[in-house]
């Protein structure tokens, strides 16, 4: 069988949108940490978002 390659999408965000998303992710991370859950996945998303300029 032949397989199609997975499609990749790019989302362009303004600086204000990136700031809002980062704020929400940090709030989610703090909430998860306070409840004793693992924050590894949220940390990865925050780092990936921070790498975008």
């Amino acid at each position: 069988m032949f397989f199609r390659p997975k499609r990749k999408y790019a989302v362009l965000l303004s600086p204000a949108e990136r700031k809002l998303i980062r704020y929400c992710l940090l709030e989610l991370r703090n909430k998860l940490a306070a409840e004793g859950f693992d924050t590894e996945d949220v940390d990865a998303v925050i780092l990936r978002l921070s790498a975008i300029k």
Side-chain angles (χ1 to χ4, degrees), residues 25-37:
L25 286 171
L26 288 171
E27 288 290 319
L28 175 63
R29 182 190 178 281
N30 292 338
K31 181 179 176 184
L32 290 173
E35 294 175 1
F37 289 103

Side-chain angles (χ1 to χ4, degrees), residues 8 14 16 20 27 29 34 44-45 48 51-53:
K8 294 185 179 182
S14 69
L20 179 62
E27 288 290 319
R29 182 190 178 281
V45 174
R48 188 159 187 171
I52 299 171
K53 296 203 176 189

Side-chain angles (χ1 to χ4, degrees), residues 4-42:
R4 280 191 250 163
K6 292 185 179 181
R7 294 182 182 179
K8 294 185 179 182
Y9 297 95
V11 178
L12 299 177
L13 300 172
S14 69
E17 291 169 330
R18 276 198 307 266
K19 185 177 180 180
L20 179 62
I21 292 172
R22 186 172 47 241
Y23 174 78
C24 292
L25 286 171
L26 288 171
E27 288 290 319
L28 175 63
R29 182 190 178 281
N30 292 338
K31 181 179 176 184
L32 290 173
E35 294 175 1
F37 289 103
D38 185 29
T39 62
E40 183 176 331
D41 295 329
V42 179

